[in-house]
Amino acid sequence: QANLIFIISLLLGTTITISSNHWIMAWTGLEINTLAILPLISKSHHPRAIEAATKYFLTQSAASALILFSSMTNAWHTGQWDITQLTHPTSSLILTSAIAMKLGLVPFHFWFPEVLQGSPLTTGLLLSTIMKLPPIALLYMTSHSLNPTLLTTLAILSTALGGWMGLNQTQIRKVLAFSSISHLGWMAIIIVYNPKLTLLNFYLYAMMTATIFLTLNTIKVLKLSTLMTAWTKIPSLNAMLLLTLLSLAGLPPLTGFLPKWLIIQELTKQDMAPAATLISLLSLLSLFFYLRLAYCTTITLPPHTTNHMKQWRTNKSTSIMIAILTTMSVMLLPISPMILTIV
């Protein structure tokens, strides 16, 4: 019952922020979102969950205060409270850093892996997907007045750090957090030049991440060592998890290649070939840890690697939701012309 209220509040907050024109309404939506997700993070009453909720609350409230500050500064100088009229340069700089805090872009990324590690998988899914939508919508609405140099710097740093710091993690939720940070880098680099591509990237990223979180939730896996023995539970689901992970890494015949391809193309059109080259090379770092996850999912056979017992195969059928999401996460590349006409 309580969960239903929190999830409705989440959807309400997200809708308010996305559909608002006035800065105060956008801020209200963000606050409703933050307050609705806090009980979902701290639900288990484990000390780590409480710590995660506290960290989340502190960073999000600081970011909200900065958003208010930037919109007030803009209103002070221009007399405008409209979101699309954020023309004052200082305001747009403050807003960019506030939204970077909300999203977990480098250098404001420290809270995100910790919070994700302290949350259950379903809450982690909400944090990685739906909680990123309102800040990205605000960036989308103000994209024409943002500072390209700052955003490109943040984006390249995010892709680099998201790749590097994910390399030696054994906790799957932390790996997914760093993967999220590096994907946000791809979204941030293109927001000034082609905001629709950012949204497309976000939708596809959210779809693939949802698939992975729901799959892990079905097979009840949180660490690499348990992932190695989980293939005996639902082998077919594990095979699809392998493909979804490779899709999230952006390998060509899969869906995840589409946003990367379009972003590199757009950056080249904007005479930013060096940035495109750099961000592509840095995404190879995250490819490494996706491959390691994929390797642990399907290729490694116990008992060569771990001394865990093999798990019983479950007769539980996989939900239709996972089936649809997995299919979309793997097979959307051929219909990319249709996707582009919709976007």
Side-chain angles (χ1 to χ4, degrees):
Q1 211 65 34
N3 278 0
L4 185 65
I5 293 172
F6 297 139
I7 286 166
I8 289 172
S9 304
L10 268 181
L11 294 172
L12 173 74
T14 306
T15 315
I16 288 175
T17 303
I18 292 171
S19 57
S20 59
N21 287 319
H22 195 289
W23 274 112
I24 299 291
M25 280 309 284
W27 173 80
T28 312
L30 289 168
E31 286 299 295
I32 292 173
N33 256 1
T34 305
L35 293 175
I37 196 94
L38 284 172
L40 295 175
I41 298 173
S42 56
K43 194 165 57 177
S44 66
H45 300 298
H46 188 279
R48 186 166 285 160
I50 307 296
E51 183 190 340
T54 313
K55 284 176 179 168
Y56 185 76
F57 174 72
L58 292 173
T59 47
Q60 296 298 312
S61 46
S64 291
L66 276 177
I67 287 177
L68 267 186
F69 180 54
S70 82
S71 52
M72 282 166 126
T73 313
N74 188 61
W76 181 266
H77 284 281
T78 61
Q80 274 289 351
W81 278 102
D82 196 307
I83 293 182
T84 51
Q85 305 292 322
L86 188 87
T87 46
H88 193 254
T90 314
S91 296
S92 67
L93 284 177
I94 297 170
L95 179 83
T96 309
S97 39
I99 287 186
M101 269 177 95
K102 281 248 170 235
L103 290 171
L105 277 168
V106 174
F108 310 104
H109 64 288
F110 296 102
W111 61 273
F112 189 52
E114 301 292 325
V115 169
L116 215 60
Q117 182 56 34
S119 320
L121 280 170
T122 40
T123 311
L125 166 61
L126 291 175
L127 280 170
S128 309
T129 55
I130 202 169
M131 296 301 287
K132 303 264 187 253
L133 185 55
I136 284 180
L138 287 179
L139 273 186
Y140 180 83
M141 287 188 273
T142 54
S143 58
H144 49 84
S145 53
L146 297 173
N147 182 342
T149 318
L150 174 67
L151 275 166
T152 308
T153 313
L154 289 181
I156 286 173
L157 283 174
S158 296
T159 319
L161 268 153
W164 253 308
M165 293 175 75
L167 290 179
N168 59 354
Q169 301 294 336
T170 55
Q171 295 286 345
I172 296 177
R173 282 170 295 184
K174 277 198 172 169
V175 171
L176 287 171
F178 288 118
S179 119
S180 178
I181 291 168
S182 85
H183 273 272
L184 284 168
W186 280 89
M187 293 176 218
I189 200 165
I190 202 70
I191 186 88
V192 181
Y193 306 106
N194 192 339
K196 285 187 173 169
L197 270 187
T198 298
L199 285 188
L200 174 70
N201 192 345
F202 175 73
Y203 296 146
L204 293 177
Y205 158 75
M207 187 175 71
M208 295 183 283
T209 306
T211 312
I212 288 178
F213 270 107
L214 290 172
T215 304
L216 294 174
N217 195 37
T218 308
I219 55 179
K220 296 283 177 279
V221 164
L222 296 171
K223 296 200 297 288
L224 281 181
S225 53
T226 44
L227 186 62
M228 286 178 184
T229 54
W231 64 274
T232 48
K233 282 186 183 176
I234 313 176
S236 53
L237 191 60
N238 266 44
M240 292 314 285
L241 179 60
L242 164 85
L243 286 175
T244 313
L245 282 163
L246 295 181
S247 182
L248 200 56
L251 291 186
L254 307 165
T255 306
F257 178 59
L258 172 63
K260 286 192 165 53
W261 175 27
L262 293 173
I263 287 172
I264 291 170
Q265 193 181 353
E266 185 65 32
L267 285 174
T268 319
K269 279 182 196 164
Q270 301 286 347
D271 287 337
M272 289 179 66
T277 312
L278 190 55
I279 202 167
S280 312
L281 287 172
L282 288 170
S283 71
L284 290 176
L285 288 167
S286 38
L287 172 65
F288 179 83
F289 62 70
Y290 290 125
L291 278 176
R292 196 174 66 173
L293 273 173
Y295 183 79
C296 290
T297 310
T298 49
I299 304 167
T300 319
L301 294 182
H304 306 298
T305 47
T306 60
N307 51 6
H308 281 269
M309 287 181 62
K310 282 191 185 175
Q311 320 228 1
W312 284 97
R313 181 174 299 201
T314 50
N315 285 326
K316 186 171 64 172
S317 62
T318 320
S319 73
I320 187 78
M321 189 71 191
I322 297 183
I324 295 169
L325 282 172
T326 311
T327 313
M328 287 172 72
S329 303
V330 172
M331 296 184 175
L332 283 191
L333 191 66
I335 60 158
S336 42
M338 189 174 96
I339 295 172
L340 289 179
T341 51
I342 297 169
V343 168

